[in-house]
Protein backbone atom coordinates (compact mmCIF):
# COMPACT_ATOMS: atom_id res chain seq x y z
CA UNK A 1 0.00 0.00 0.00
CA UNK A 2 1.12 3.56 -0.67
CA UNK A 3 2.53 5.43 2.29
CA UNK A 4 3.67 9.01 2.83
CA UNK A 5 7.42 8.47 2.69
CA UNK A 6 8.40 11.91 1.46
CA UNK A 7 11.39 12.39 3.71
CA UNK A 8 12.75 8.95 3.06
CA UNK A 9 12.07 9.30 -0.65
CA UNK A 10 14.14 12.46 -0.84
CA UNK A 11 17.09 10.78 0.82
CA UNK A 12 16.84 7.67 -1.31
CA UNK A 13 16.65 9.77 -4.49
CA UNK A 14 19.63 11.83 -3.37
CA UNK A 15 21.65 8.67 -2.76
CA UNK A 16 20.64 7.21 -6.10
CA UNK A 17 21.62 10.40 -7.87
CA UNK A 18 24.98 10.39 -6.12
CA UNK A 19 25.52 6.81 -7.23
CA UNK A 20 24.80 7.84 -10.81
CA UNK A 21 27.52 10.44 -10.59
CA UNK A 22 30.28 7.92 -9.90
CA UNK A 23 32.64 7.68 -12.87
CA UNK A 24 30.75 10.32 -14.87
CA UNK A 25 32.43 13.64 -15.64
CA UNK A 26 33.14 16.28 -12.99
CA UNK A 27 32.31 15.27 -9.47
CA UNK A 28 33.05 11.58 -10.07
CA UNK A 29 35.68 11.39 -7.35
CA UNK A 30 33.49 13.10 -4.78
CA UNK A 31 30.53 10.91 -5.70
CA UNK A 32 32.58 7.74 -5.34
CA UNK A 33 33.73 8.81 -1.89
CA UNK A 34 30.28 9.71 -0.60
CA UNK A 35 27.90 7.33 -2.35
CA UNK A 36 28.25 4.45 0.10
CA UNK A 37 27.71 6.65 3.14
CA UNK A 38 24.75 8.47 1.59
CA UNK A 39 23.11 5.25 0.47
CA UNK A 40 23.46 3.69 3.91
CA UNK A 41 22.07 6.82 5.58
CA UNK A 42 19.16 6.87 3.15
CA UNK A 43 18.34 3.23 3.84
CA UNK A 44 18.43 3.82 7.58
CA UNK A 45 16.20 6.88 7.32
CA UNK A 46 13.81 5.09 4.97
CA UNK A 47 13.44 2.19 7.41
CA UNK A 48 12.86 4.61 10.26
CA UNK A 49 10.28 6.59 8.31
CA UNK A 50 8.48 3.44 7.20
CA UNK A 51 8.21 2.30 10.79
CA UNK A 52 6.90 5.68 11.92
CA UNK A 53 4.37 6.07 9.12
CA UNK A 54 1.02 4.44 9.71
CA UNK A 55 -1.30 6.43 7.50
CA UNK A 56 -2.67 4.52 4.53
CA UNK A 57 -4.22 6.06 1.44
CA UNK A 58 -7.94 6.65 1.56
CA UNK A 59 -10.16 4.09 -0.14
CA UNK A 60 -11.97 5.00 -3.34
CA UNK A 61 -15.40 6.47 -2.64
CA UNK A 62 -17.07 4.43 -5.38
CA UNK A 63 -18.33 7.50 -7.23
CA UNK A 64 -19.44 7.29 -10.86
CA UNK A 65 -19.48 9.93 -13.58
CA UNK A 66 -22.90 11.45 -14.21
CA UNK A 67 -23.54 11.18 -17.96
CA UNK A 68 -27.11 12.42 -18.06
CA UNK A 69 -27.76 15.52 -15.93
CA UNK A 70 -26.41 18.94 -16.96
CA UNK A 71 -23.22 19.64 -15.01
CA UNK A 72 -20.76 22.52 -15.12
CA UNK A 73 -17.19 22.33 -13.82
CA UNK A 74 -14.46 24.96 -13.97
CA UNK A 75 -10.84 24.43 -15.03
CA UNK A 76 -7.90 26.82 -14.73
CA UNK A 77 -4.29 26.83 -15.93
CA UNK A 78 -1.45 29.14 -16.92
CA UNK A 79 0.96 28.93 -19.84
CA UNK A 80 1.80 30.22 -23.28
CA UNK A 81 -0.34 30.37 -26.39
CA UNK A 82 0.50 26.85 -27.59
CA UNK A 83 -0.56 25.36 -24.24
CA UNK A 84 -3.77 27.37 -24.28
CA UNK A 85 -4.67 26.18 -27.77
CA UNK A 86 -3.96 22.52 -27.07
CA UNK A 87 -5.79 22.53 -23.74
CA UNK A 88 -8.87 24.20 -25.18
CA UNK A 89 -8.93 21.58 -27.95
CA UNK A 90 -8.67 18.78 -25.37
CA UNK A 91 -11.47 20.31 -23.30
CA UNK A 92 -13.67 20.45 -26.41
CA UNK A 93 -12.98 16.76 -27.04
CA UNK A 94 -13.85 15.93 -23.43
CA UNK A 95 -17.17 17.78 -23.71
CA UNK A 96 -17.98 15.82 -26.86
CA UNK A 97 -17.37 12.60 -24.96
CA UNK A 98 -19.57 13.85 -22.10
CA UNK A 99 -22.18 16.10 -23.76
CA UNK A 100 -23.88 16.79 -20.44
CA UNK A 101 -20.73 18.25 -18.89
CA UNK A 102 -19.75 21.86 -19.61
CA UNK A 103 -16.19 22.88 -18.74
CA UNK A 104 -15.77 26.57 -18.00
CA UNK A 105 -12.12 27.53 -18.62
CA UNK A 106 -9.89 30.31 -17.26
CA UNK A 107 -6.26 30.72 -18.27
CA UNK A 108 -3.51 33.28 -18.63
CA UNK A 109 0.25 33.80 -18.74
CA UNK A 110 2.15 33.17 -15.52
CA UNK A 111 2.61 36.81 -14.50
CA UNK A 112 0.26 37.51 -11.57
CA UNK A 113 -1.34 34.07 -11.79
CA UNK A 114 -0.01 32.69 -8.50
CA UNK A 115 -1.26 35.68 -6.52
CA UNK A 116 -4.68 35.32 -8.09
CA UNK A 117 -4.86 31.62 -7.30
CA UNK A 118 -3.56 32.12 -3.77
CA UNK A 119 -6.45 34.46 -3.09
CA UNK A 120 -8.97 32.03 -4.56
CA UNK A 121 -7.70 29.08 -2.55
CA UNK A 122 -7.67 31.19 0.62
CA UNK A 123 -11.31 32.18 0.11
CA UNK A 124 -12.52 28.79 -1.10
CA UNK A 125 -13.43 30.14 -4.54
CA UNK A 126 -10.85 28.30 -6.66
CA UNK A 127 -12.04 26.50 -9.81
CA UNK A 128 -12.95 22.81 -9.61
CA UNK A 129 -9.88 21.55 -11.50
CA UNK A 130 -6.59 23.44 -11.37
CA UNK A 131 -3.18 23.17 -12.91
CA UNK A 132 -1.01 23.75 -9.85
CA UNK A 133 2.63 24.17 -9.06
CA UNK A 134 4.02 21.36 -6.90
CA UNK A 135 4.79 23.74 -4.02
CA UNK A 136 1.21 25.01 -3.91
CA UNK A 137 0.29 21.84 -2.07
CA UNK A 138 2.40 22.86 0.91
CA UNK A 139 1.80 26.60 0.46
CA UNK A 140 -1.97 26.50 0.17
CA UNK A 141 -2.90 23.17 1.71
CA UNK A 142 -0.37 21.98 4.28
CA UNK A 143 -3.31 20.77 6.36
CA UNK A 144 -5.09 19.18 3.41
CA UNK A 145 -7.91 21.72 3.37
CA UNK A 146 -7.63 23.08 -0.18
CA UNK A 147 -7.40 19.98 -2.37
CA UNK A 148 -9.50 16.85 -2.69
CA UNK A 149 -7.83 13.57 -1.75
CA UNK A 150 -7.40 11.97 -5.16
CA UNK A 151 -7.08 8.51 -3.58
CA UNK A 152 -10.84 8.74 -3.06
CA UNK A 153 -11.32 9.14 -6.82
CA UNK A 154 -9.08 6.25 -7.91
CA UNK A 155 -12.08 4.39 -9.39
CA UNK A 156 -12.19 7.14 -12.03
CA UNK A 157 -8.69 8.61 -12.08
CA UNK A 158 -6.26 5.78 -12.82
CA UNK A 159 -3.46 6.38 -10.32
CA UNK A 160 -1.73 3.13 -11.21
CA UNK A 161 -0.21 4.96 -14.20
CA UNK A 162 1.99 7.04 -11.90
CA UNK A 163 5.05 5.91 -9.97
CA UNK A 164 4.80 5.63 -6.21
CA UNK A 165 7.71 8.07 -5.91
CA UNK A 166 5.91 10.80 -7.85
CA UNK A 167 2.66 10.29 -5.96
CA UNK A 168 4.53 10.44 -2.65
CA UNK A 169 5.89 13.87 -3.57
CA UNK A 170 2.31 15.09 -3.98
CA UNK A 171 1.07 13.57 -0.73
CA UNK A 172 0.78 16.05 2.15
CA UNK A 173 -1.25 15.70 5.35
CA UNK A 174 -1.86 12.05 4.38
CA UNK A 175 -3.82 13.20 1.30
CA UNK A 176 -2.87 12.82 -2.36
CA UNK A 177 -3.52 16.45 -3.22
CA UNK A 178 -2.30 16.46 -6.80
CA UNK A 179 -1.51 14.09 -9.63
CA UNK A 180 1.88 14.82 -11.24
CA UNK A 181 1.87 15.86 -14.88
CA UNK A 182 5.61 15.92 -15.59
CA UNK A 183 9.08 16.28 -14.07
CA UNK A 184 11.15 19.32 -14.94
CA UNK A 185 14.34 21.27 -14.39
CA UNK A 186 16.14 24.29 -15.81
CA UNK A 187 18.33 24.30 -18.91
CA UNK A 188 19.69 26.81 -21.41
CA UNK A 189 18.02 27.60 -24.71
CA UNK A 190 20.02 29.44 -27.37
CA UNK A 191 19.24 31.40 -30.50
CA UNK A 192 21.84 29.84 -32.78
CA UNK A 193 21.19 32.40 -35.49
CA UNK A 194 22.45 35.24 -33.31
CA UNK A 195 25.47 33.25 -32.19
CA UNK A 196 26.25 32.54 -35.86
CA UNK A 197 26.08 36.26 -36.53
CA UNK A 198 28.60 36.79 -33.75
CA UNK A 199 30.84 34.16 -35.33
CA UNK A 200 30.89 31.83 -32.30
CA UNK A 201 29.24 28.57 -31.27
CA UNK A 202 26.49 28.38 -28.68
CA UNK A 203 28.00 27.95 -25.18
CA UNK A 204 28.76 24.50 -23.84
CA UNK A 205 30.47 25.76 -20.70
CA UNK A 206 30.39 28.74 -18.37
CA UNK A 207 33.72 29.82 -19.81
CA UNK A 208 32.16 29.86 -23.30
CA UNK A 209 29.30 31.99 -22.01
CA UNK A 210 31.56 34.49 -20.32
CA UNK A 211 33.68 34.88 -23.44
CA UNK A 212 30.55 35.47 -25.53
CA UNK A 213 29.73 38.66 -23.63
CA UNK A 214 32.65 40.63 -25.04
CA UNK A 215 32.19 39.16 -28.53
CA UNK A 216 28.52 40.15 -28.63
CA UNK A 217 29.30 43.66 -27.45
CA UNK A 218 32.07 44.20 -30.00
CA UNK A 219 30.58 42.46 -33.03
CA UNK A 220 26.82 42.94 -32.63
CA UNK A 221 26.46 46.00 -30.43
CA UNK A 222 25.68 46.94 -26.86
CA UNK A 223 22.03 45.92 -27.05
CA UNK A 224 22.87 42.28 -27.87
CA UNK A 225 23.42 39.83 -25.00
CA UNK A 226 24.37 36.13 -24.96
CA UNK A 227 21.83 35.44 -22.19
CA UNK A 228 18.93 37.18 -20.47
CA UNK A 229 17.73 36.43 -16.94
CA UNK A 230 15.07 38.00 -14.76
CA UNK A 231 15.28 38.03 -10.97
CA UNK A 232 13.94 34.53 -10.39
CA UNK A 233 16.10 33.05 -13.16
CA UNK A 234 19.14 34.61 -11.51
CA UNK A 235 18.27 33.07 -8.16
CA UNK A 236 17.95 29.58 -9.63
CA UNK A 237 21.20 30.02 -11.57
CA UNK A 238 22.94 31.22 -8.41
CA UNK A 239 21.81 28.10 -6.54
CA UNK A 240 22.93 25.98 -9.51
CA UNK A 241 26.36 27.63 -9.29
CA UNK A 242 26.64 27.23 -5.51
CA UNK A 243 25.59 23.57 -5.57
CA UNK A 244 28.10 22.92 -8.34
CA UNK A 245 30.90 24.58 -6.38
CA UNK A 246 30.16 23.53 -2.80
CA UNK A 247 28.28 20.25 -3.23
CA UNK A 248 25.41 21.07 -0.85
CA UNK A 249 21.68 21.35 -1.33
CA UNK A 250 20.39 24.90 -0.92
CA UNK A 251 18.07 23.80 1.89
CA UNK A 252 18.07 20.52 3.77
CA UNK A 253 15.94 19.46 6.74
CA UNK A 254 14.25 22.86 6.55
CA UNK A 255 17.56 24.68 7.14
CA UNK A 256 19.57 26.89 4.79
CA UNK A 257 22.88 25.11 4.18
CA UNK A 258 24.98 28.06 2.99
CA UNK A 259 27.03 30.55 5.00
CA UNK A 260 27.05 34.30 4.49
CA UNK A 261 30.37 34.12 2.65
CA UNK A 262 29.13 31.36 0.33
CA UNK A 263 25.92 33.20 -0.51
CA UNK A 264 27.89 36.38 -1.08
CA UNK A 265 30.02 34.37 -3.50
CA UNK A 266 26.87 33.33 -5.37
CA UNK A 267 25.53 36.87 -5.58
CA UNK A 268 28.90 38.18 -6.72
CA UNK A 269 28.87 35.54 -9.46
CA UNK A 270 25.55 36.88 -10.75
CA UNK A 271 26.85 40.44 -10.60
CA UNK A 272 29.91 39.44 -12.63
CA UNK A 273 27.67 38.29 -15.47
CA UNK A 274 26.24 41.79 -15.76
CA UNK A 275 29.70 43.32 -15.54
CA UNK A 276 30.96 41.08 -18.35
CA UNK A 277 28.01 41.97 -20.63
CA UNK A 278 26.75 38.38 -20.44
CA UNK A 279 23.29 39.38 -19.18
CA UNK A 280 21.43 42.69 -19.37
CA UNK A 281 20.66 44.64 -16.22
CA UNK A 282 17.27 44.36 -14.57
CA UNK A 283 16.62 47.97 -15.59
CA UNK A 284 17.25 47.04 -19.22
CA UNK A 285 14.84 44.10 -19.06
CA UNK A 286 12.21 46.19 -17.26
CA UNK A 287 12.54 48.82 -19.95
CA UNK A 288 11.56 46.25 -22.56
CA UNK A 289 8.01 46.40 -21.17
CA UNK A 290 7.31 42.68 -21.50
CA UNK A 291 5.88 40.43 -18.77
CA UNK A 292 7.95 37.43 -19.89
CA UNK A 293 10.68 36.64 -22.38
CA UNK A 294 8.35 34.89 -24.81
CA UNK A 295 6.58 38.26 -25.10
CA UNK A 296 9.79 40.28 -25.30
CA UNK A 297 10.72 41.67 -28.74
CA UNK A 298 14.43 41.35 -27.92
CA UNK A 299 14.07 37.59 -27.50
CA UNK A 300 11.84 37.35 -30.54
CA UNK A 301 14.32 39.09 -32.83
CA UNK A 302 17.48 37.60 -31.33
CA UNK A 303 19.01 40.47 -29.37
CA UNK A 304 18.69 38.30 -26.30
CA UNK A 305 20.32 35.12 -27.61
CA UNK A 306 19.78 32.84 -24.64
CA UNK A 307 17.46 32.12 -21.74
CA UNK A 308 17.56 29.78 -18.73
CA UNK A 309 14.15 28.12 -18.58
CA UNK A 310 12.20 25.01 -17.59
CA UNK A 311 12.58 22.14 -20.04
CA UNK A 312 8.80 22.07 -20.47
CA UNK A 313 8.88 25.63 -21.87
CA UNK A 314 10.79 24.75 -25.04
CA UNK A 315 7.88 25.01 -27.44
CA UNK A 316 6.67 28.28 -25.93
CA UNK A 317 10.06 29.91 -26.21
CA UNK A 318 10.77 28.53 -29.68
CA UNK A 319 7.35 29.63 -30.93
CA UNK A 320 8.00 33.19 -29.80
CA UNK A 321 11.01 33.65 -32.11
CA UNK A 322 10.63 35.55 -35.34
CA UNK A 323 10.86 33.64 -38.58
CA UNK A 324 14.40 32.71 -39.51
CA UNK A 325 15.67 32.34 -35.92
CA UNK A 326 17.10 28.90 -35.09
CA UNK A 327 16.33 27.63 -31.58
CA UNK A 328 18.53 24.98 -29.91
CA UNK A 329 18.68 23.24 -26.54
CA UNK A 330 21.91 23.87 -24.67
CA UNK A 331 24.01 21.85 -22.26
CA UNK A 332 24.28 21.88 -18.49
CA UNK A 333 27.52 23.63 -17.46
CA UNK A 334 29.94 21.08 -16.02
CA UNK A 335 32.73 23.60 -15.43
CA UNK A 336 31.07 25.55 -12.62
CA UNK A 337 32.44 23.20 -9.97
CA UNK A 338 33.21 19.62 -8.99
CA UNK A 339 29.55 18.71 -8.46
CA UNK A 340 26.53 18.46 -10.72
CA UNK A 341 24.44 21.34 -9.48
CA UNK A 342 20.80 22.05 -10.17
CA UNK A 343 17.59 20.29 -9.26
CA UNK A 344 14.56 18.59 -10.76
CA UNK A 345 11.04 18.74 -9.41
CA UNK A 346 7.49 17.72 -10.15
CA UNK A 347 6.82 20.29 -12.83
CA UNK A 348 3.15 20.75 -12.16
CA UNK A 349 0.09 18.82 -11.08
CA UNK A 350 -3.61 18.74 -11.59
CA UNK A 351 -5.45 19.29 -8.34
CA UNK A 352 -9.17 19.16 -7.63
CA UNK A 353 -10.66 21.70 -5.25
CA UNK A 354 -11.83 20.31 -1.91
CA UNK A 355 -14.99 22.40 -2.35
CA UNK A 356 -16.04 20.99 -5.71
CA UNK A 357 -19.60 19.76 -6.02
CA UNK A 358 -18.67 17.38 -8.82
CA UNK A 359 -15.54 15.39 -7.82
CA UNK A 360 -16.30 12.44 -10.10
CA UNK A 361 -16.66 14.60 -13.19
CA UNK A 362 -13.50 16.52 -12.28
CA UNK A 363 -11.62 13.24 -11.95
CA UNK A 364 -12.93 12.19 -15.36
CA UNK A 365 -11.53 15.38 -16.90
CA UNK A 366 -8.10 14.87 -15.32
CA UNK A 367 -8.04 11.21 -16.39
CA UNK A 368 -9.01 12.21 -19.93
CA UNK A 369 -6.17 14.71 -20.14
CA UNK A 370 -3.47 12.47 -18.67
CA UNK A 371 -4.37 8.82 -19.32
CA UNK A 372 -6.82 8.56 -22.22
CA UNK A 373 -5.65 8.36 -25.80
CA UNK A 374 -7.88 11.09 -27.20
CA UNK A 375 -6.88 13.69 -24.62
CA UNK A 376 -3.22 12.71 -24.52
CA UNK A 377 -2.88 12.94 -28.30
CA UNK A 378 -4.16 16.50 -28.26
CA UNK A 379 -1.96 17.73 -25.41
CA UNK A 380 1.22 15.90 -26.42
CA UNK A 381 4.11 17.40 -24.46
CA UNK A 382 2.62 20.86 -23.89
CA UNK A 383 3.12 20.36 -20.15
CA UNK A 384 6.34 18.43 -20.44
CA UNK A 385 7.16 14.75 -20.84
CA UNK A 386 4.22 12.86 -19.27
CA UNK A 387 4.59 11.18 -15.88
CA UNK A 388 1.66 8.92 -16.73
CA UNK A 389 2.96 5.60 -18.06
CA UNK A 390 0.03 5.27 -20.43
CA UNK A 391 0.27 8.91 -21.45
CA UNK A 392 3.96 8.53 -22.20
CA UNK A 393 3.36 5.35 -24.23
CA UNK A 394 0.64 7.02 -26.28
CA UNK A 395 2.94 9.96 -27.02
CA UNK A 396 5.86 7.72 -27.95
CA UNK A 397 3.76 5.38 -30.12
CA UNK A 398 2.31 8.30 -32.04
CA UNK A 399 5.43 10.43 -32.32
CA UNK A 400 3.83 13.17 -30.24
CA UNK A 401 6.72 14.13 -28.01
CA UNK A 402 8.18 17.42 -29.02
CA UNK A 403 11.79 16.65 -29.87
CA UNK A 404 13.05 19.81 -28.20
CA UNK A 405 11.14 19.18 -24.97
CA UNK A 406 12.26 15.55 -24.92
CA UNK A 407 15.87 16.57 -25.53
CA UNK A 408 15.77 19.23 -22.82
CA UNK A 409 14.07 16.93 -20.31
CA UNK A 410 16.56 14.15 -20.95
CA UNK A 411 19.54 16.47 -20.48
CA UNK A 412 18.17 17.90 -17.25
CA UNK A 413 17.14 14.64 -15.58
CA UNK A 414 20.39 12.91 -16.50
CA UNK A 415 22.49 15.70 -14.99
CA UNK A 416 20.99 17.49 -11.96
CA UNK A 417 21.65 15.87 -8.61
CA UNK A 418 20.12 17.89 -5.78
CA UNK A 419 16.62 17.78 -4.25
CA UNK A 420 14.40 20.86 -4.34
CA UNK A 421 13.01 22.18 -1.09
CA UNK A 422 9.22 22.69 -1.47
CA UNK A 423 9.49 26.11 0.16
CA UNK A 424 12.00 27.32 -2.44
CA UNK A 425 9.08 28.48 -4.55
CA UNK A 426 7.05 30.02 -1.74
CA UNK A 427 5.24 33.14 -2.87
CA UNK A 428 7.03 35.25 -0.25
CA UNK A 429 10.29 34.35 -1.97
CA UNK A 430 9.51 34.20 -5.70
CA UNK A 431 6.47 36.46 -6.20
CA UNK A 432 7.01 38.82 -9.12
CA UNK A 433 8.06 42.32 -7.99
CA UNK A 434 7.38 41.48 -4.34
CA UNK A 435 9.26 38.33 -3.32
CA UNK A 436 12.65 38.20 -1.63
CA UNK A 437 14.39 36.84 -4.73
CA UNK A 438 13.12 39.73 -6.82
CA UNK A 439 14.02 42.28 -4.13
CA UNK A 440 17.58 40.96 -3.78
CA UNK A 441 18.40 40.53 -7.45
CA UNK A 442 16.79 43.80 -8.54
CA UNK A 443 18.37 45.61 -5.60
CA UNK A 444 21.82 44.40 -6.58
CA UNK A 445 21.31 45.21 -10.26
CA UNK A 446 19.97 48.72 -9.58
CA UNK A 447 22.67 49.38 -6.97
CA UNK A 448 20.21 49.72 -4.10
CA UNK A 449 22.03 46.96 -2.21
CA UNK A 450 25.70 46.17 -1.88
CA UNK A 451 26.77 42.53 -1.58
CA UNK A 452 26.63 42.50 2.21
CA UNK A 453 23.15 44.02 2.31
CA UNK A 454 21.80 41.72 -0.40
CA UNK A 455 23.22 38.68 1.37
CA UNK A 456 21.57 39.68 4.63
CA UNK A 457 18.20 40.30 2.98
CA UNK A 458 18.32 36.96 1.17
CA UNK A 459 19.30 34.95 4.25
CA UNK A 460 16.72 36.66 6.45
CA UNK A 461 13.99 36.17 3.86
CA UNK A 462 14.72 32.48 3.31
CA UNK A 463 14.97 31.78 7.04
CA UNK A 464 11.69 33.56 7.68
CA UNK A 465 9.91 31.32 5.17
CA UNK A 466 11.60 28.19 6.52
CA UNK A 467 10.51 29.04 10.06
CA UNK A 468 6.82 28.98 9.17
Amino acid sequence: MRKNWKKALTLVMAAAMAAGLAGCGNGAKQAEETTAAQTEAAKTEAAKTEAETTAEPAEAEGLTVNTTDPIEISFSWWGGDSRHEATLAAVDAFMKKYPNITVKTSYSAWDGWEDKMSSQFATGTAPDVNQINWNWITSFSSDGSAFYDLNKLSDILDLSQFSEDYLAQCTVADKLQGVPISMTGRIFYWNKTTYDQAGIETPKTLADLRAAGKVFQEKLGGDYYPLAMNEYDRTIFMVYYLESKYGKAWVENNELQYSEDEIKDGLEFIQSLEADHVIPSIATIAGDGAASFDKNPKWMEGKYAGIFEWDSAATKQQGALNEGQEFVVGEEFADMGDYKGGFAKVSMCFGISENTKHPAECAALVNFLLNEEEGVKILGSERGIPCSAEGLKICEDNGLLNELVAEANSKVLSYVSFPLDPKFEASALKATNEGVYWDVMAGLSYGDYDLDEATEVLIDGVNKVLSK
Side-chain angles (χ1 to χ4, degrees):
M1 293 184 178
R2 192 160 61 251
K3 298 180 182 294
N4 186 11
W5 297 348
K6 292 180 67 183
K7 184 177 179 183
L9 170 65
T10 299
L11 288 169
V12 172
M13 288 178 66
M17 289 174 178
L21 290 175
C24 299
N26 287 339
K29 180 178 179 181
Q30 290 80 358
E32 291 170 354
E33 293 173 347
T34 59
T35 295
Q38 289 179 325
T39 302
E40 187 61 32
K43 289 179 179 178
T44 300
E45 188 62 32
K48 177 182 176 183
T49 306
E50 178 179 0
E52 292 175 348
T53 305
T54 57
E56 297 183 356
E59 298 291 334
E61 293 179 322
L63 299 177
T64 58
V65 179
N66 187 328
T67 59
T68 55
D69 301 324
I71 289 173
E72 180 178 281
I73 59 176
S74 50
F75 176 29
S76 73
W77 70 89
W78 75 88
D81 291 341
S82 62
R83 181 180 298 171
H84 299 332
E85 293 169 5
T87 307
L88 289 170
V91 167
D92 285 342
F94 174 80
M95 290 190 293
K96 289 179 181 178
K97 179 177 180 179
Y98 297 98
N100 64 307
I101 302 177
T102 299
V103 180
K104 183 180 179 181
T105 60
S106 58
Y107 53 92
S108 181
W110 169 253
D111 190 44
W113 189 256
E114 185 170 25
D115 290 338
K116 173 184 176 180
M117 296 306 299
S118 175
S119 176
Q120 291 184 349
F121 281 115
T123 58
T125 58
D128 297 297
V129 179
N130 300 274
Q131 175 185 300
I132 63 173
N133 257 343
W134 172 57
N135 71 301
W136 289 8
I137 296 175
T138 50
S139 297
F140 303 157
S141 190
S142 60
D143 61 353
S145 62
F147 299 109
Y148 209 94
D149 187 352
L150 300 181
N151 289 311
K152 296 180 178 180
L153 300 172
S154 58
D155 285 344
I156 303 168
L157 173 56
D158 185 3
L159 299 176
S160 69
Q161 299 299 326
F162 303 87
S163 80
E164 299 286 338
D165 290 351
Y166 295 161
L167 295 178
Q169 293 182 59
C170 300
T171 299
V172 175
D174 297 327
K175 294 176 64 175
L176 179 59
Q177 300 194 49
V179 60
I181 300 172
S182 58
M183 294 291 292
T184 191
R186 287 270 177 148
I187 198 163
F188 298 99
Y189 295 124
W190 307 115
N191 185 327
K192 186 176 181 299
T193 302
T194 303
Y195 274 88
D196 287 344
Q197 291 170 356
I200 56 177
E201 295 183 351
T202 56
K204 294 181 174 58
T205 65
L206 178 60
D208 291 343
L209 178 63
R210 281 196 182 280
K214 184 177 181 180
V215 175
F216 269 55
Q217 191 172 23
E218 292 179 349
K219 291 191 174 182
L220 301 179
D223 55 347
Y224 279 80
Y225 291 88
L227 180 67
M229 288 181 165
N230 63 28
E231 294 89 337
Y232 186 47
D233 301 335
R234 294 174 185 220
T235 304
I236 296 177
F237 194 33
M238 182 194 73
V239 172
Y240 178 14
Y241 166 80
L242 290 174
E243 289 175 343
S244 299
K245 183 173 181 178
Y246 295 102
K248 301 182 291 185
W250 176 243
V251 168
E252 194 169 41
N253 298 324
N254 210 45
E255 293 183 356
L256 183 62
Q257 299 298 297
Y258 284 81
S259 68
E260 289 186 20
D261 286 343
E262 289 168 340
I263 291 174
K264 188 183 299 184
D265 177 23
L267 292 172
E268 191 170 23
F269 163 70
I270 296 298
Q271 275 194 311
S272 73
L273 298 179
E274 268 195 30
D276 292 343
H277 198 79
V278 174
I279 58 176
S281 68
I282 295 298
T284 298
I285 295 172
D288 298 336
S292 56
F293 285 126
D294 64 303
K295 305 294 184 184
N296 192 314
K298 290 182 180 178
W299 167 253
M300 296 176 183
E301 63 192 25
K303 288 186 175 180
Y304 294 161
I307 51 176
F308 185 55
E309 252 287 8
W310 300 111
D311 56 50
S312 55
T315 54
K316 177 178 73 172
Q317 301 298 346
Q318 181 190 39
L321 292 180
N322 291 345
E323 186 176 353
Q325 308 289 319
E326 184 179 354
F327 178 94
V328 297
V329 178
E331 307 292 334
E332 301 287 2
F333 288 166
D335 64 332
M336 291 203 296
D338 292 332
Y339 303 87
K340 291 187 174 183
F343 51 74
K345 65 167 186 170
V346 174
S347 171
M348 60 186 75
C349 314
F350 283 133
I352 296 175
S353 173
E354 177 68 23
N355 299 323
T356 184
K357 296 179 180 178
H358 306 289
E361 291 70 32
C362 291
L365 174 60
V366 174
N367 196 70
F368 181 83
L369 298 175
L370 298 183
N371 295 328
E372 296 184 23
E373 184 170 7
E374 187 175 8
V376 170
K377 281 185 174 181
I378 297 172
L379 290 181
S381 55
E382 276 300 328
R383 288 176 172 81
I385 306 301
C387 281
S388 163
E390 182 62 22
L392 179 60
K393 184 177 184 300
I394 292 168
C395 285
E396 290 176 337
D397 289 348
N398 291 275
L400 298 175
L401 294 182
N402 181 279
E403 291 183 4
L404 288 170
V405 174
E407 179 186 357
N409 185 258
S410 176
K411 287 181 175 179
V412 168
L413 297 185
S414 65
Y415 185 89
V416 299
S417 57
F418 289 90
L420 174 67
D421 171 56
K423 293 183 179 179
F424 185 85
E425 297 180 320
S427 180
L429 294 176
K430 68 169 284 190
T432 304
N433 299 324
E434 298 177 359
V436 173
Y437 302 150
W438 293 78
D439 180 28
V440 168
M441 292 301 177
L444 268 179
S445 184
Y446 279 103
D448 295 334
Y449 292 140
D450 61 25
L451 278 171
D452 289 330
E453 292 168 333
T455 299
E456 182 180 356
V457 171
L458 181 56
I459 290 175
D460 288 347
V462 171
N463 284 333
K464 183 176 181 180
V465 169
L466 293 176
S467 69
K468 294 181 179 179

